[in-house]
Amino acid sequence: MATIGNMLKRSFSTNVAKHAIQNVTIIGGGLMGSGIAQVTAQAGQSVTLVDVSNEILKKSETAIQTSIARVAKKLHKDDPTAAKQLSEGVLSRIKYVHDTEKSVENADLIIEAIIENIEIKHKLFKVLDQAAPKNTLFASNTSSLSIAEIASVTKRKDKFGGLHFFNPVPVMKLLEVIRIPETCDETYNSMMAWGKSIGKTCITCKDTPGFVVNRLLVPYIAEAVRMLERGDASAEDIDTAMKLGAGYPMGPLELADYTGLDTGVFILEGWHKKFPDNPLFKPVELQKKLVEQGKLGRKSGEGFYKYSK
Ligand code: CAA
Ligand code: NAD
């Protein structure tokens, strides 16, 4: 049975092999972008992390410092000097930039991890398509949107794919690599090899709603919220049941709080609009009500549970 410590170790030790992709630009320095920046820098690659303001980038930097310190402490339990060297090496490979066009000048790969909104993603990719060198590969980390729809505004669909990471990125070993019909073999093979170079296990899925993980996870969480809504069981008992009866690391309601209730509502509403006849995609009233009340889960301090800072 793999422990988290072993997963982190394996992930780090597989990171030494040099890969053709050495300069990675990540757009969006939030929860996911910061994690992707960290694991890429852990693999020895140069990272440029982009967000809309220096203030947000400062927060990204703090989040990465905390996370890499945690990883380094775990990997080098009895050797604080080695832990410090690891942290410093990773931090030195990440540049924080708020000029999007400048940030992609030398990029081999650009990974978009901005807000889950198709219009805003389109606006960004139009700019990137103009500004990036013609060989630069493009990827989106979207949770629920169609990769083909995101790529549609660019003139390099052959160099476009989905690279879907999982939260928390430094710990979760999976990377879903999505190809659209236009993605060429070279791009797809490069993305698979790059995923491996940063220590992830890659799987492939067609460009379908939620790919593999979210297609299963989102309806599962929605069903747990419906159980709570009907009063079938308490939140604590639903979560305990799935942890102790099914061996999940978190119960479905804890996980909903962890990924953000707003994210869950957004995904279901988007899919429901596109596929109104699929009962699995039906939005859940209780989840919507909590979001309307500003209860977004861990990030806002309350969701199905209350969190202290
Ligand atoms: N950075 C670095 N290390 C971290 C970390 C982070 N952000 N978060 C956790 N860790 C590591 C730490 O090394 C920690 O080790 P220590 O015990 O030495 O501190 C270890 O993980 C365990 O963490 P915790 O003790 O804090 O808590 P835990 O044992 O409950 O594990 C968890 C936390 C890894 C998140 C685990 O509960 C888990 O796997 N939960 C399920 C997460 C999941 O399903 N993610 C997918 C969500 S779906 C998604 O992401 C896709 C989407 O599009 C929405
Ligand atoms: P987040 O809100 O934490 O971060 C998004 C960041 O993007 C913010 O810092 C915002 O300022 C920045 N941003 C917005 N527009 C920008 C632009 N035009 N240029 C540069 N930066 C911009 O969101 P997140 O949870 O990190 O999610 C990001 C993406 O990853 C979404 O597509 C989401 O669906 C996907 N995703 C999320 C999770 C999760 O568990 N949260 C998991 C996998 C994938």
Side-chain angles (χ1 to χ4, degrees):
M1 174 85 177
T3 62
I4 290 176
N6 283 341
M7 276 152 63
L8 288 169
K9 255 183 210 145
R10 209 176 328 132
S11 140
F12 193 69
S13 60
T14 51
N15 288 341
V16 249
K18 270 247 168 188
H19 189 263
I21 292 173
Q22 284 300 312
N23 294 308
V24 181
T25 296
I26 295 152
I27 321 263
L31 190 63
M32 296 305 289
S34 301
I36 301 167
Q38 180 189 323
V39 295
T40 306
Q42 265 177 257
Q45 297 167 19
S46 301
V47 176
T48 304
L49 185 60
V50 185
D51 211 302
V52 291
S53 74
N54 281 330
E55 201 188 336
I56 297 179
L57 286 167
K58 202 74 216 143
K59 282 193 192 146
S60 318
E61 190 174 3
T62 306
I64 295 171
Q65 279 165 349
T66 309
S67 178
I68 190 61
R70 228 171 143 181
V71 171
K73 198 170 160 199
K74 192 159 206 134
L75 288 173
H76 300 289
K77 255 193 233 91
D78 306 315
D79 190 348
T81 312
K84 190 164 176 262
Q85 268 171 4
L86 167 58
S87 286
E88 284 176 358
V90 167
L91 298 173
S92 72
R93 286 189 283 279
I94 307 176
K95 272 193 303 193
Y96 299 86
V97 172
H98 66 81
D99 179 337
T100 306
E101 291 177 347
K102 248 188 145 27
S103 78
V104 298
E105 273 170 0
N106 298 312
D108 301 315
L109 169 67
I110 300 174
I111 303 173
E112 168 273 312
I114 67 165
I115 184 171
E116 188 79 333
N117 175 302
I118 190 75
E119 283 85 28
I120 300 178
K121 287 192 197 281
H122 275 168
K123 209 165 146 197
L124 172 69
F125 273 112
K126 278 184 198 159
V127 172
L128 295 175
D129 203 25
Q130 291 290 324
K134 67 177 190 325
N135 288 328
T136 305
L137 304 185
F138 281 13
S140 172
N141 179 51
T142 180
S143 298
S144 65
L145 301 171
S146 148
I147 300 294
E149 216 175 313
I150 299 173
S152 66
V153 296
T154 71
K155 292 192 179 75
R156 60 177 91 201
K157 297 185 194 69
D158 58 323
K159 296 196 168 52
F160 210 112
L163 289 175
H164 187 220
F165 288 83
F166 296 85
N167 180 26
V169 180
V171 179
M172 305 310 280
K173 285 277 295 167
L174 184 69
L175 177 63
E176 290 180 324
V177 180
I178 315 303
R179 64 188 299 177
I180 56 175
E182 295 90 344
T183 312
C184 69
D185 287 346
E186 200 185 336
T187 300
Y188 169 73
N189 292 335
S190 278
M191 287 186 175
M192 291 291 281
W194 179 77
K196 200 170 165 204
S197 82
I198 61 159
K200 300 296 179 196
T201 297
C202 299
I203 64 108
T204 296
C205 180
K206 284 187 185 162
D207 186 20
T208 53
F211 316 127
V212 174
V213 173
N214 284 345
R215 180 66 175 74
L216 297 173
L217 213 47
V218 173
Y220 154 71
I221 291 174
E223 197 52 23
V225 183
R226 285 189 196 100
M227 287 187 84
L228 182 67
E229 202 170 40
R230 289 195 299 268
D232 293 349
S234 67
E236 288 80 0
D237 282 355
I238 293 170
D239 283 338
T240 301
M242 292 314 289
K243 283 188 283 191
L244 302 189
Y248 285 31
M250 278 178 173
L253 303 171
E254 279 179 286
L255 184 56
D257 274 359
Y258 190 68
T259 50
L261 298 191
D262 50 339
T263 307
V265 167
F266 181 87
I267 294 175
L268 273 181
E269 287 188 337
W271 290 354
H272 181 61
K273 218 181 263 170
K274 270 192 158 170
F275 310 97
D277 298 330
N278 189 333
L280 293 177
F281 297 164
K282 203 161 170 265
V284 194
E285 277 313 309
L286 175 59
Q287 208 170 345
K288 278 183 7 191
K289 210 160 92 191
L290 289 171
V291 171
E292 277 159 23
Q293 290 167 357
K295 295 176 182 168
L296 309 180
R298 278 197 193 208
K299 60 184 165 191
S300 72
E302 188 173 350
F304 293 107
Y305 298 96
K306 284 194 174 153
Y307 302 88
S308 58
K309 285 220 163 166

